[in-house]
Every structure is written in C-alpha cells, then in structure tokens.
C-alpha cells in the first residue's frame, strides 16, 4: 500500500515520522519522488500541481492536508470518481479561534492605530466601544466559524453569522444566524468587524467585493482567514483608500507566497501574515489520515468526506 | 453635599452628566474649581495633586476613579482617617480581559515578529507552540487577574497565577496557584508569557526587575497592565537587549504620559499603548460611586473599601 505525500509548505519529514509510527508498512513516497504512478493508492496533498492526481491511475482516495479542498478542486483534470476527505481537527480549530480572537480584539481595541501613534511618539487616548457595542459578523458557520463565534459571544461581543444555505443543526446561544443573499445584506450592514471563514467555492469566490464592502458600516474591519480568492484585491484597496474601511487583517492570498510587487505588502492599513492562522499538525491529524485509509481499505466511507457538488 | 471631581484623564463632563442624573442635588465641583475646601464631603479622584486631599478638612470619603489606589496612597499628607474606596466594575474587568487576551494571543502567535517580517517583505512561516504548550503566568489574583486567568484557561493555555499571600477563596479550575517568594520563583521559571496585574504597593514596586527577569525562560514575553512602577525600566531594556526576553507589551509607565525622550518609545521589542487597557466608564461606575456616598451618609461601610495596611 503506497501513499504519495505532496506539499510545498508542510514538513514532509515530520509527516513521514508520524505516519510511519502508525503504519510501519506503509510505502511512503514524498513528491516529486513518486516512483511508478500506478503504485499509489492514496494521495495526501496541499495545492497539488495540476494534473498530478489524474496521473495516478489506481488512486483510491485523496486526502487534503487542510480544512479546505479548493486547492484540489481547482484542477480541471481531477478524477471525479475518487473520494476526497478534508481535515477537521481540534488543533486546526484552536488555531483559527486564536488567530480570529487575536485580530478581532486588536481591531476592537484599535491596536493598529495605537501602533501608528506610537511610531509618531504620540500619547493619545482614542475613544473605545465596549464589546457589547461592537458587532462581529462571521461569514461561514462550519466548525471553524461556529467555534470562533462562540468565543466572541463569550467575550460579550454582538455576534452574527452567515451561511449560504440555512442550517438545521443548533448554533451557539447568543449567535444571530443569517443566510442567503438577503441575510448577507443584513449581516454586512451590521458588522463592525467582518471575518471570512467560508469554504472557497464558485459561489463564494470574490464575495468580498466592492458592492459588499460598500454595505459594511464606515470604519469597519475585514479579517480574512479563509482563502485569498474570497477577496477582490483591488476592491479592498479602494475601500481602504477611500477611508470606508479602517483596515484589514489578511492571512491568505490568491497567490501564495504573496508576490513581492503586490500592493498589500506596503499598504499601511493592511496587516498580513503568511497563511499561518491554522497549520495542520501531523501529531494530531495523522490519526484521521490513518483512520481514513483503514476505512477505504475496509470499504467504509471516509470521515470528513467532501461533497463534490457543494465543493466542501 | 458637595463632591470634588479631579482627573487629568477622565472626561469631567461625562462624569458630571452621569452623577447629576443620579443625584440631582449634588453640589458638583470640578477641580481646580474647588470653591471653599471646607464644603467638600467627597473626593472622586485620579492621581490627585500631592496635598490636595489634606486640604479638604471635612472630607468623609475618598473615591478612586480606578481599580488601583496607589495614585492616592503616594501622597505623604493623605488624611489617614478618611476611608478610601476603589472601583470594581464589570466593564473595567472586561477591558482588562480584552487587552490581556489580545496581547497574550499576539505574543503567542508571534504577531510582532510577523509584523517585522512583513515590513521587510519577508514571507516566512515561524514555528508555533500550541496553547497547551504555552505557559501563561499571571501576577496578581484579584478580580482582574482571576478573570483573565479564567479566559486563558478557556483557550487551552497552561495558566498559573501568583499572589503575595495565600488565598482561601476558590480559584478558577485549571489555574495553578503560587504564593510567597518561593511561589514567585516557581511561577517565573515556567512563564512563557508573564502578565502583571498586581496592585502597586511597597511590596510589589520594582517586582519586575533584573533578578526576576533572569528567572523567566529565554524568549519570554512580559505584559504590564498594572502600574509602571512595577517595572524597573532599565532592567527591562537590558533583558530585551540581551535577547533573554522576546518583547514587552506595556500599557502603564512610571511617568504618564511617557516622556518623549524615554527609550521605550523607540525600542523595537516594546509595543506600548497610552494606559488604555481598561478605562473607567462613568455609565457603569457612577452607580457604585452614588451607592458609596449613600452608605457613608447612612453610617455604613463603603463597598470596595481599601485596606490601608495592605494598600489595596
């Protein structure tokens, strides 16, 4: 049984160690050292090169190294009959909650403005909303969005969440739920701090665009910890430059690493990090990879199986 | 019945409005327009000028505008027979928890290093501890320290707290409690992120000094949201410059506003804010001021009365 590991950002040695510990007999190959493509039963991937998966004729399952699978579905040659699983992991969720809270609180407490004042040697107390007066809007109510929403409710913020379709499962108490196009308008109009945690699909690509930025109240903050392609970069720059938005925290970008000549690098209202909000940790995630391999070998359905029609 | 309001940082008009709404007949004077000092029954103060309170011969009570009272006790002429009350307020507590979490999470997620890399145009993923691997030490286990500790436990951090003397009342679950000099050594040795929320007394002044910094693990962060005089400024600078400490978040300073020529303004490992972690909000605090006046008028003991021998 052979598994192909492919990622430009995850630590291959660490993954090999953790997988070998659990499956000593696994034939583990680290891309681009693939060997005979016909040998590969499983592909554990992050942003695989286009066509790579189609070139593996005996592939039984595709395992995403992240919570998102857009990086897999972007491939027009993706074999449609091979099941895809994504990662749902407590540490990944904890990473998103930490990063989300850190940036929401920093925006709420006006840290970026204080940093600018500090650089000017200016001691000036700015007006401050209470958490109860601050409205946090969260786009996407999967495991990540719901967990972050709950943490924000716990700190006393007014919290609303949006999902494209309505939800039947119970949501955390104190969380207002919007859905659909009308719901999006309602949420945007009331969000002082907007956090994007949507899956990237055809329906959500470019959702943070000129029209939707215009619906946010003046002075709002945008935090993107989902995917770069949720944002229309030029529209964000225009909304910041006009003064309509106060600033943005960005962890994800359409092209990563963010190209050196991209204006986000130098924009004074943008705080950016190199896609580190939540990093898949093999110490905790290797278990579910191994369990999914066991399931496929036994003809069972994988955990965290992706719905191909929804795209997440 | 006359009250003298004195503060260089709190908004006098706002306080007058909130107090007048509750006590329409109160004779409210805003320092330095004191009128006849013999008229003044109550003084509501923040950092009163030395001697001011001694000059009010008929003073019945001193009400601090903040949670701390060190700004009152620093006066050698303070009338020792006049009771002093401090503020314990949910909004003040919420402010400390927000600021504490924002800075703890920022240090934990290495935001200051990412900010420096961003300014250099450098896309680089840094190693990251989980919250479970990160030890937060909190100096001071009053209402503020305990509330912050609880929030940190909720996010999965290893949390320990220290108070000068032992505590009999129950502390939040998951919080390790140290006390006394030995306890301080234990706490320091294990704190990746150290937060100071102590009252400022003779016993705690200069507690963040060279010897105690040396006991922190290499790479630790220091967050001070108590009083500037808890820190020996030169010792902090030396510990940062030697590379022993990674950085410091400072909201409070021995002299405020921080003088323009102070090296903290320009130190690349110090992030500073102008004493804004928690601001006393008259909308919520005026009630306890009024209640304490009513109590004194009726011969009752004030709420949040300060123990003159402890100094807090």
């Amino acid at each position: 049984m052979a598994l192909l590991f492919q990622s430009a950002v995850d630590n291959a040695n660490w993954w090999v160690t953790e997988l070998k510990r659990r499956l000593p007999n696994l034939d583990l190959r680290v891309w681009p050292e693939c060997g005979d493509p016909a040998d590969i039963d499983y592909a554990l991937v992050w942003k695989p090169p286009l066509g790579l998966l189609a070139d593996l004729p005996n592939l039984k399952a595709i395992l995403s190294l992240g919570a998102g699978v857009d990086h897999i579905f972007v491939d027009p040659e993706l074999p449609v009959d091979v099941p895809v699983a994504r990662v749902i992991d407590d540490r990944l969720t904890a990473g998103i909650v930490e990063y989300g809270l850190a940036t929401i609180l920093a925006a709420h407490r006006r840290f970026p403005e204080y940093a600018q004042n500090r650089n000017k040697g200016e001691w000036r107390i700015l007006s401050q909303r209470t958490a109860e007066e601050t409205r946090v809007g969260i786009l996407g109510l999967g495991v990540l969005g719901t967990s972050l929403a709950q943490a924000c409710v716990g700190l006393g913020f007014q919290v609303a969440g949006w999902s494209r379709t309505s939800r039947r499962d119970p949501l955390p108490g104190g969380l207002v739920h919007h859905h659909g196009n009308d719901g999006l308008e309602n949420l945007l109009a009331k969000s002082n701090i907007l956090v994007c945690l949507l899956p990237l699909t055809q329906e959500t690509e470019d959702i943070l665009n000129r029209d939707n930025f215009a619906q946010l109240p003046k002075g709002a903050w945008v935090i993107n910890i989902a995917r770069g392609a949720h944002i229309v970069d030029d529209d964000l720059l225009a909304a910041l430059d006009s003064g309509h938005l106060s600033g943005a925290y960005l962890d994800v970008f359409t092209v990563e690493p963010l190209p050196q000549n991209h204006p986000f690098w130098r924009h004074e209202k943008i705080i950016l990090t190199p896609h580190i909000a939540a990093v898949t940790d093999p110490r905790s995630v290797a278990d579910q990879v191994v369990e999914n391999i066991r399931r496929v070998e036994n003809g069972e359905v994988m955990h965290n199986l992706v719905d191909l029609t929804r795209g997440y």
Side-chain angles (χ1 to χ4, degrees), chain A:
Chain A
M1 192 166 64
L3 180 144
L4 176 65
F5 176 91
Q6 173 276 321
S7 169
V9 296
D10 296 273
N11 185 320
N13 289 336
W14 200 5
W15 270 100
V16 168
T17 303
E18 294 295 332
L19 288 172
K20 277 286 185 191
R21 177 176 298 160
R22 290 163 176 82
L23 290 175
N25 296 324
L26 184 66
D27 176 0
L28 239 168
R29 305 184 188 177
V30 177
W31 191 84
E33 307 299 327
C34 180
D36 181 352
D39 293 347
I40 306 297
D41 300 290
Y42 298 94
L44 179 60
V45 296
W46 176 252
K47 296 189 182 176
L50 299 183
L52 171 66
L53 297 166
D55 285 345
L56 306 172
N58 297 315
L59 199 59
K60 294 177 185 167
I62 299 166
L63 305 155
S64 171
L65 277 160
V69 289
D70 49 289
H71 63 102
I72 293 169
F73 284 98
V74 76
D75 187 347
E77 296 177 62
L78 182 71
V80 291
D81 52 342
V82 179
V84 179
R86 66 198 194 93
V87 167
I88 296 178
D89 174 61
D90 285 348
R91 285 201 184 166
L92 209 61
T93 307
I96 290 290
V97 170
E98 290 173 9
Y99 188 100
L101 279 187
T103 51
I104 289 166
L105 285 168
H108 168 58
R109 297 306 301 264
R110 308 182 70 169
F111 279 9
E113 289 158 278
Y114 280 118
Q116 287 177 2
N117 287 350
R118 176 256 156 94
N119 290 340
K120 290 183 282 186
E122 193 173 330
W123 178 281
R124 189 153 63 90
I125 296 168
L126 305 173
S127 66
Q128 179 61 56
R129 282 200 196 95
T130 65
E132 288 75 13
E133 294 164 338
T134 301
R135 296 169 299 188
V136 176
I138 296 179
L139 302 177
L141 288 176
V143 172
L144 303 177
T146 308
S147 300
L148 179 59
Q150 192 150 29
C152 290
V153 168
L155 288 172
F157 289 104
Q158 287 182 49
V159 187
W162 180 79
S163 53
R164 211 167 49 79
T165 53
S166 69
R167 291 270 305 249
R168 286 187 197 163
D169 42 329
L171 290 166
L175 173 64
V176 177
H177 179 213
H178 299 284
H179 65 89
N181 289 338
D182 290 352
L184 182 59
E185 278 190 31
N186 286 334
L187 179 122
L188 292 171
K190 289 182 186 149
S191 294
N192 302 115
I193 299 172
L194 182 74
V195 184
C196 181
L197 271 170
L198 288 164
L200 180 63
T201 65
Q202 287 183 345
E203 282 78 17
T204 66
E205 189 171 345
D206 291 343
I207 194 168
L208 298 176
N209 55 36
R210 179 188 165 140
D211 291 346
N212 284 335
F213 288 138
Q215 293 186 56
L216 290 167
K218 186 172 160 60
W221 280 82
V222 170
I223 298 169
N224 191 10
I225 28 184
R227 289 289 181 262
H230 285 122
I231 288 188
V232 180
D233 292 2
D234 288 341
D235 292 2
L236 176 62
L237 291 167
L240 292 167
D241 290 339
S242 74
H244 182 63
L245 297 182
S246 288
Y249 282 91
L250 305 178
D251 185 52
V252 287
F253 307 91
T254 306
V255 178
E256 295 179 1
L258 184 66
Q260 282 299 322
N261 61 352
H262 196 290
F264 284 175
W265 276 113
R266 277 163 299 278
H267 200 285
E268 65 169 9
K269 291 184 176 175
I270 289 177
I271 294 132
L272 63 84
T273 46
H275 201 147
I276 50 84
V279 175
T280 304
D281 185 331
R283 290 172 299 179
S284 62
V285 177
D287 282 341
Q288 59 186 269
V289 168
V290 168
E291 169 63 10
N292 270 341
I293 290 173
R294 191 198 63 74
R295 289 181 158 255
V296 173
E297 293 296 315
N298 292 335
E300 298 170 30
V301 175
M302 289 195 291
H303 285 313
N304 308 324
L305 187 72
V306 173
D307 180 333
L308 296 173
T309 57
R310 291 192 313 179
Y312 62 92

